[in-house]
Amino acid sequence: MKIYKVLIHGLNDLRANRLRHLLVGLSMLLGVLAISAVSSADQLVTKYLVAEQEQLHGKAQTYVSVLAPGSLDQEEVADSFQRLSKVVENIGGNALFSVRTAISVPHVGEQNFERVAYQGDYAATYRVPLSVGTWPRDNGTVAVGVVLNEYAADLLGIDETPQSIEMNTSRGTKNVVVTGIAQDGLKGGEARIYQPLGSSGDSSLLLDEPIELMLTAPGDKQDSLQRYATGILEQSGTSTGESMEFMRQDTVDNTKNSVAVTKTAFLVACVITLLVAAVGVLNVGLATVGERSEELVIRRALGATKKQVFGLVMGSSLLIGVIVAVIAAALVLLASAFVVPKFMDTAGIVQGIDLPIEALWFGLAAALLTSFLGALSPAIKATKLDVAQALRS
């Protein structure tokens, strides 16, 4: 029997038992949608949840060691950074020195700002994209460049760059130029100013505040890089060099592990839902074979082969699977294009959500497999109907 005839018979069967097949299709649709959603989880984790963690705690494989105040002066920081940079660049990593201090900005009331003076590529350690402008360069010019986070920019009423502002430091009030606005993920009143360490002109930063040394590098390179960094600081006369301890700072692996557990739980629920749908297809198929037994044996008596009878019974179930897969694909595409971006603030830290093509294939396979397994037993039963007994009755 040709495929189009199988489809025609399948459509006729669906029309004859509309409510029964509708309920089975809805059950299957829930399972297929769940499968598609779970298979999309990896992409969402990579592009959103992990990116969010990298904003706050650093990119994957970021380790930090805290040096006591006064361990290094400005020249030693610059020298250590230059020597470290030559090594980390070769292994695709990044080194970052940073010092954090509390400052105030005139005309903003009692709001405290945190100044992060850094040496290195800050955006290579933390996922901190700029919504406006560029990162400043320590070029030795009179105008000191800084970057504000979004909360600080809102407090100061700045939405375009460059703009000049004043900030109070231990050396008095200074004029600085805002070169960019950063999306650092800090909210709830955490105003922050990012400034290259070499442009701060405030030697007391290194004398009075702890210095953080962060190393971001592949896991198999971390140990050797940490030993190298410790050696460099020891040669610089750092009193804490021998007792330096690097601690894992990023939470990327923990986030992925948590999502993997959740994903497994959802997959189990999806499989159970699809098994329920398969049982529904099985019940419908058995009932249909019972109702159409006379028709099927007459077809056999008129010359229909077992293969053709098998296709007649299987056709309606596979047709349900195809319809469910098409509906699921349409819903997943609509959700990816319109629903997900509205509920997830993906601007900046990620470049949007790609269409989950892999998820669509999983959904199609799940729908067809469920239909096939549910209809397999009824189709086999139909091929084994006793033609002679049915004709005698």
Side-chain angles (χ1 to χ4, degrees):
M1 182 177 291
K2 295 182 179 180
I3 295 179
Y4 77 91
K5 290 186 177 180
V6 173
L7 293 177
I8 292 174
H9 284 290
L11 287 173
N12 291 334
D13 190 26
L14 293 181
R15 284 197 295 265
N17 301 278
R18 294 178 183 177
L19 181 59
R20 186 187 298 171
H21 288 108
L22 176 62
L23 295 177
V24 172
L26 287 176
S27 176
M28 192 185 303
L29 179 62
L30 292 176
V32 171
L33 286 176
I35 287 285
S36 299
V38 172
S39 61
S40 301
D42 286 340
Q43 180 195 153
L44 296 178
V45 169
T46 302
K47 289 205 166 186
Y48 183 78
L49 296 179
V50 169
E52 189 178 51
Q53 292 301 310
E54 289 180 341
Q55 273 189 312
L56 301 174
H57 307 294
K59 296 183 179 180
Q61 299 295 332
T62 293
Y63 287 75
V64 62
S65 183
V66 181
L67 308 179
S71 300
L72 296 172
D73 60 24
Q74 185 68 54
E75 291 183 1
E76 289 171 343
V77 167
D79 178 66
S80 299
F81 174 75
Q82 184 176 8
R83 295 168 65 186
L84 268 175
S85 296
K86 294 179 180 179
V87 176
V88 296
E89 287 177 4
N90 293 332
I91 62 174
N94 186 66
L96 180 73
F97 285 99
S98 67
V99 183
R100 303 184 183 189
T101 56
I103 63 171
S104 60
V105 176
H107 316 302
V108 190
E110 299 181 354
Q111 173 69 44
N112 288 325
F113 288 71
E114 182 181 54
R115 175 173 59 172
V116 179
Y118 63 91
Q119 181 78 31
D121 187 350
Y122 198 89
T125 297
Y126 292 89
R127 187 183 290 266
V128 185
L130 298 182
S131 57
V132 176
T134 59
W135 286 93
R137 295 182 178 179
D138 179 17
N139 52 15
T141 59
V142 177
V144 176
V146 301
V147 166
L148 306 179
N149 71 348
E150 291 178 313
Y151 184 73
D154 289 340
L155 288 175
L156 295 171
I158 294 177
D159 55 10
E160 295 181 355
T161 59
Q163 289 196 38
S164 178
I165 64 170
E166 293 181 340
M167 66 180 189
N168 297 325
T169 68
S170 60
R171 290 194 169 187
T173 302
K174 291 184 178 181
N175 287 318
V176 297
V177 177
V178 178
T179 65
I181 299 175
Q183 297 176 310
D184 58 6
L186 296 178
K187 299 177 182 177
E190 296 183 73
R192 183 174 284 185
I193 297 176
Y194 299 94
Q195 179 180 350
L197 186 59
S199 67
S200 64
D202 192 348
S203 59
S204 64
L205 285 176
L206 300 174
L207 297 176
D208 301 333
E209 301 295 336
I211 304 172
E212 290 184 340
L213 169 58
M214 279 156 282
L215 300 177
T216 304
D220 60 337
K221 306 291 185 181
Q222 267 290 343
D223 289 342
S224 57
L225 183 58
Q226 291 172 17
R227 288 194 296 270
Y228 182 80
T230 301
I232 287 178
L233 295 174
E234 288 177 355
Q235 293 174 20
S236 300
T238 304
S239 58
T240 58
E242 295 181 357
S243 60
M244 280 183 65
E245 232 181 284
F246 284 89
M247 304 296 293
R248 181 76 178 264
Q249 175 169 287
D250 70 279
T251 59
V252 172
D253 288 347
N254 292 336
T255 300
K256 288 183 176 180
N257 290 337
S258 298
V259 173
V261 172
T262 305
K263 180 179 178 180
T264 301
F266 273 106
L267 281 174
V268 171
C270 294
V271 171
I272 293 174
T273 303
L274 289 175
L275 286 176
V276 172
V279 172
V281 174
L282 174 62
N283 289 331
V284 170
L286 292 175
T288 301
V289 169
E291 293 172 357
R292 300 176 60 188
S293 60
E294 292 185 4
E295 173 199 342
L296 295 174
V297 295
I298 291 174
R299 288 181 178 275
R300 287 294 311 281
L302 294 177
T305 65
K306 290 185 177 183
K307 184 178 179 180
Q308 291 173 332
V309 171
F310 184 91
L312 287 174
V313 177
M314 186 66 73
S316 59
S317 296
L318 291 180
L319 192 57
I320 292 177
V322 172
I323 293 173
V324 166
V326 171
I327 295 175
L331 292 176
V332 169
L333 291 175
L334 289 174
S336 300
F338 302 105
V339 178
V340 173
K342 289 184 178 180
F343 287 93
M344 288 188 173
D345 183 15
T346 58
I349 61 172
V350 296
Q351 301 300 316
I353 303 299
D354 296 331
L355 294 179
I357 302 300
E358 183 178 350
L360 299 181
W361 284 114
F362 275 122
L364 174 62
L368 295 180
L369 182 62
T370 302
S371 300
F372 178 79
L373 293 178
L376 182 60
S377 179
I380 293 176
K381 180 180 178 181
T383 62
K384 294 182 179 181
L385 289 174
D386 189 345
V387 179
Q389 179 65 31
L391 291 177
R392 284 196 297 269
S393 61

